[in-house]
């Protein structure tokens, strides 16, 4: 069933959602889901719009979205995985670093992924075995193998402040040894930037499938590597600790700086 879906259909749906649902007025209509964890009317509108379009495109494929209950998803069957806005805090603060992240998981693997920047003309996409692209141009992870030339993006697990001490001690070690660190505020964009070679590595604990599904495929298809924190394989259907990189610097950080391998 999923083979009938074309990547170009996903690109059309996501770009239509960007054109119709993104405006400042709705970004400022906000509800608090938990401490520091907000949802805006833009998140809700993008999810509703994309879910409707995907149902028309492929009625048999299940739909997982951040702003709904996903308890009934059966990962042995095909499923869309959507984060309608990844980078909601950025959206609220008008920091202009937010994306739509949409993936298709089928046959127990990621088969398509799209990350569409909401404030730049940049759409990153990948299809299993066919490479990764930015606006039609092939992309590849960076070839940098030297810590002193590595830019590493950190995710602060903002909804789990109790993890701050553990997280920031890891970040300090990385910061002291690498060129610099970045905090972009969108996991999907972090992964897209690793895939494009703009960042050498990115790490964040306790992400959900909608945060990373599309980005993981981008990095893998761009020649990079995504694992859990210990370097082991990632289960993309579960909450996970994500360590992504060009396959050199991520490994060296775990082995030589953090001594985890
Ligand atoms: C969040 C962003 C952020 C990351 C959080 C995510 P949201 O997603 O990706 O960069 O640090 O862990 O939950 O809430 O903006 O969709
Ligand atoms: Ca997210
Ligand atoms: Ca979100």
């Amino acid at each position: 069933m999923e083979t009938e879906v074309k990547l170009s259909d996903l690109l059309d749906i996501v770009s239509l959602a960007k054109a119709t649902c993104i405006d400042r007025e709705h970004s400022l209509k906000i509800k608090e889901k938990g401490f520091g964890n907000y949802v805006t009317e833009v998140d809700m509108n993008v999810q509703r719009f994309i879910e409707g379009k995907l149902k028309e495109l492929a009625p048999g494929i299940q739909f997982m979205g951040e702003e709904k209950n996903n308890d009934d998803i059966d990962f042995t069957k095909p499923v869309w995985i959507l984060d309608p806005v990844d980078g909601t805090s950025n959206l609220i603060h008008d920091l202009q670093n937010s994306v739509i992240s949409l993936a298709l998981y089928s046959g127990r693997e990621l088969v398509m992924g799209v990350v569409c920047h909401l404030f730049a003309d940049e759409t990153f996409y990948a299809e299993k075995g066919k490479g990764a692209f930015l606006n039609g141009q092939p992309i590849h992870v960076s070839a940098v193998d030297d810590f002193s030339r590595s830019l590493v993006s950190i995710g602060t697990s903002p909804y789990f402040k109790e993890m701050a001490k553990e997280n920031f001690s890891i970040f300090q070690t990385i910061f002291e040894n690498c060129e610099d660190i970045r905090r972009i505020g969108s996991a999907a964009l972090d992964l897209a930037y690793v895939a494009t070679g703009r960042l050498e590595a990115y790490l964040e604990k306790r992400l959900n499938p909608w945060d990373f599904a599309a980005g993981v495929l981008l990095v893998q298809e761009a020649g990079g590597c995504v694992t859990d924190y210990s370097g082991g394989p990632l289960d993309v259907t579960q909450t996970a600790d994500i360590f992504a990189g060009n396959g050199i610097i991520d490994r060296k950080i775990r082995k030589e700086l953090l001594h985890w391998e």
Side-chain angles (χ1 to χ4, degrees):
M1 167 211 311
E2 66 283 3
T3 50
E4 291 161 21
V5 173
K6 295 197 294 290
L7 185 68
S8 58
D9 293 328
L10 302 199
L11 294 171
D12 288 347
I13 289 172
V14 167
S15 95
L16 212 53
K18 172 176 169 177
T20 50
C21 304
I22 310 304
D23 65 68
R24 192 72 195 126
E25 190 195 329
H26 289 96
S27 311
L28 293 172
K29 296 202 172 134
I30 304 165
K31 272 197 211 130
E32 190 166 10
K33 297 196 278 187
F35 178 75
N37 186 359
Y38 300 97
V39 60
T40 76
E41 268 186 18
V42 170
D43 301 57
M44 303 310 292
N45 293 343
V46 170
Q47 179 161 310
R48 195 177 312 112
F49 180 90
I50 292 182
E51 183 176 10
K53 292 284 177 198
L54 292 175
K55 286 257 150 69
E56 284 169 26
L57 181 70
I61 300 184
Q62 305 167 92
F63 178 80
M64 177 188 223
E66 178 175 9
E67 311 309 337
K68 72 182 263 288
N69 181 299
N70 298 296
D71 290 347
D72 58 346
I73 300 291
D74 174 1
F75 284 100
T76 65
K77 300 192 178 128
V79 53
W80 300 112
I81 305 177
L82 175 73
D83 194 338
V85 176
D86 187 55
T88 295
S89 289
N90 285 347
L91 187 76
I92 293 168
H93 290 266
D94 204 16
L95 259 169
Q96 310 220 340
N97 261 327
S98 308
V99 301
I100 297 172
S101 174
L102 175 64
L104 178 59
Y105 181 83
S106 178
R108 294 183 187 263
E109 60 177 9
L110 292 165
V111 291
M112 287 181 196
V114 176
V115 172
C116 174
H117 201 301
L118 296 179
F119 299 98
D121 183 18
E122 292 200 317
T123 302
F124 308 83
Y125 49 92
E127 207 169 338
K128 179 84 188 171
K130 295 189 181 169
F133 300 84
L134 162 57
N135 295 350
Q137 296 303 313
I139 52 174
H140 204 272
V141 293
S142 98
V144 168
D145 61 359
D146 180 348
F147 284 138
S148 70
R149 290 180 49 227
S150 295
L151 212 47
V152 179
S153 194
I154 54 162
T156 53
S157 314
Y159 313 131
F160 306 99
K161 296 277 198 279
E162 69 280 8
M163 294 164 68
K165 208 166 179 183
E166 178 194 350
N167 275 332
F168 281 80
S169 117
I170 294 167
F171 302 155
Q172 179 167 349
T173 303
I174 295 171
F175 174 67
E176 285 171 349
N177 289 278
C178 293
E179 183 181 330
D180 203 351
I181 55 175
R182 291 289 180 273
R183 165 61 174 154
I184 286 170
S186 159
L189 198 54
D190 282 307
L191 289 163
Y193 287 171
V194 170
T196 327
R198 295 172 182 173
L199 296 169
E200 273 61 48
Y202 157 68
L203 68 161
E204 181 159 13
K205 277 185 162 252
R206 231 183 270 184
L207 289 175
N208 287 302
W210 47 81
D211 299 312
F212 58 74
V216 165
L217 188 64
L218 284 171
V219 174
Q220 290 170 340
E221 287 296 319
C225 191
V226 191
T227 63
D228 66 13
Y229 263 40
S230 64
L234 191 67
D235 179 354
V236 298
T237 69
Q238 306 284 333
T239 299
D241 302 338
I242 298 281
F243 215 119
N246 63 359
I248 310 167
I249 290 300
D250 47 314
R251 180 99 206 275
K252 276 176 78 169
I253 291 173
R254 281 194 307 275
K255 270 184 91 156
E256 295 171 27
L257 298 186
L258 304 169
H259 308 294
W260 289 345
E261 280 187 35

